[in-house]
Amino acid sequence: MDPTLVSVTDVVRRVLPEDRAGALSGPDQELRDLGLGSLELVSLLVALEDAFSVRLPADVLHHATFRSVRTLTAALRTTPEAEDPDAGPR
């Protein structure tokens, strides 16, 4: 499996409440179906930016980016200053 996708999945699971972390079934699952609200999305954004040493540009900060693990991974890959995102979180 793609190491970046695995790393993003790990970050998402850490942000989800414990009772929902195990419900993440795959990279294309809708994150809002797991109950991610606006506060969790902000926490997820901060966790991803910290883990990958990036600041996601404003033009990718929209609902579609936070649809799934796969869409988050794609957004991270478009960020040129990412510290080797394929290496995963620090």
Side-chain angles (χ1 to χ4, degrees), residues 4 7-8 47-57 60 72-90:
T4 304
S7 296
V8 172
L48 287 167
E49 289 182 337
D50 287 347
F52 288 90
S53 300
V54 299
R55 293 295 168 245
L56 289 171
V60 300
L72 286 167
T73 302
L76 283 166
R77 287 195 171 121
T78 65
T79 307
E81 71 272 8
E83 275 189 16
D84 190 16
D86 289 329
R90 298 183 293 158

Side-chain angles (χ1 to χ4, degrees), residues 18-29:
E18 283 186 41
D19 63 329
R20 289 184 256 162
L24 181 59
S25 62
D28 296 309
Q29 182 176 6

Side-chain angles (χ1 to χ4, degrees), residues 5 11 25-26 33 37-38 40-41 46 59 63 74 77 82 84:
L5 202 61
V11 172
S25 62
D33 291 348
S38 58
E40 290 90 0
L41 288 177
V46 170
D59 64 329
H63 181 68
R77 287 195 171 121
D84 190 16

Side-chain angles (χ1 to χ4, degrees), residues 10-18 36 39-45 47-48:
D10 291 342
V11 172
V12 170
R13 281 200 171 109
R14 285 196 308 265
V15 171
L16 287 170
E18 283 186 41
L36 281 181
L39 290 177
E40 290 90 0
L41 288 177
V42 171
S43 294
L44 178 56
L45 172 63
L48 287 167

